Amino acid sequence: VQLVESGGGLVQPGGSLTLSCPASGFTFSTYHMRWYRQAPGKDRELVAAISRSASSVYYKDSVKGRFTVSRDNAKNTLYLQMNSLKPEDTAVYYCAAGGLWPGDARGGDVTYWGQGTQVTVSS
């Protein structure tokens, strides 16, 4: 099983990034998918989730209206479009598969994890 995040980097406040997470080794379309993040010294937190068929989405309150989660089941890929980025969005972002809907806030029910990609929002 592989989940490989990409698209992170350094961006100025107000900027945008799109994270991608191609998956392999499991039946992607049968898993709810999520994005988590963890900032230094803080607990991991659930940022966004998308159901198997993309019929339902969930967002953490602080990212609503700025982040958009999507998936392409034909390409086995999860995405996170992040706009109007703020310094407090700085963290390592992880894609994750499995668990109940919308998922445990700290990821305790995740089946598969990616290795993470660093997002830094700074001027």
Side-chain angles (χ1 to χ4, degrees):
V1 171
Q2 281 194 314
L3 294 169
V4 183
E5 301 94 336
S6 64
L10 173 63
V11 63
Q12 292 186 342
S16 298
L17 285 174
T18 299
L19 306 184
S20 299
C21 180
S24 61
F26 65 101
T27 306
F28 180 78
S29 62
T30 66
Y31 283 75
H32 299 316
M33 296 297 296
R34 312 175 208 163
W35 288 100
Y36 286 86
R37 69 186 181 188
Q38 188 166 20
K42 295 188 177 181
D43 289 335
R44 183 168 53 203
E45 59 182 9
L46 176 61
V47 176
I50 187 166
S51 62
R52 299 179 187 94
S53 63
S55 58
S56 297
V57 292
Y58 163 87
Y59 296 101
K60 176 179 174 61
D61 284 346
S62 62
V63 308
K64 284 181 181 176
R66 300 188 298 121
F67 289 12
T68 302
V69 61
S70 62
R71 65 190 296 164
D72 186 334
N73 285 346
K75 296 182 178 180
N76 293 342
T77 302
L78 176 70
Y79 303 96
L80 185 66
Q81 173 69 43
M82 304 185 294
N83 298 325
S84 303
L85 282 161
K86 304 176 181 180
E88 51 264 42
D89 295 318
T90 294
V92 178
Y93 284 70
Y94 300 89
C95 69
L100 300 176
W101 179 259
D104 180 75
R106 298 288 180 257
D109 62 338
V110 167
T111 303
Y112 304 121
W113 287 99
Q115 85 289 347
T117 186
Q118 176 71 48
V119 171
T120 302
V121 185
S122 175
S123 55

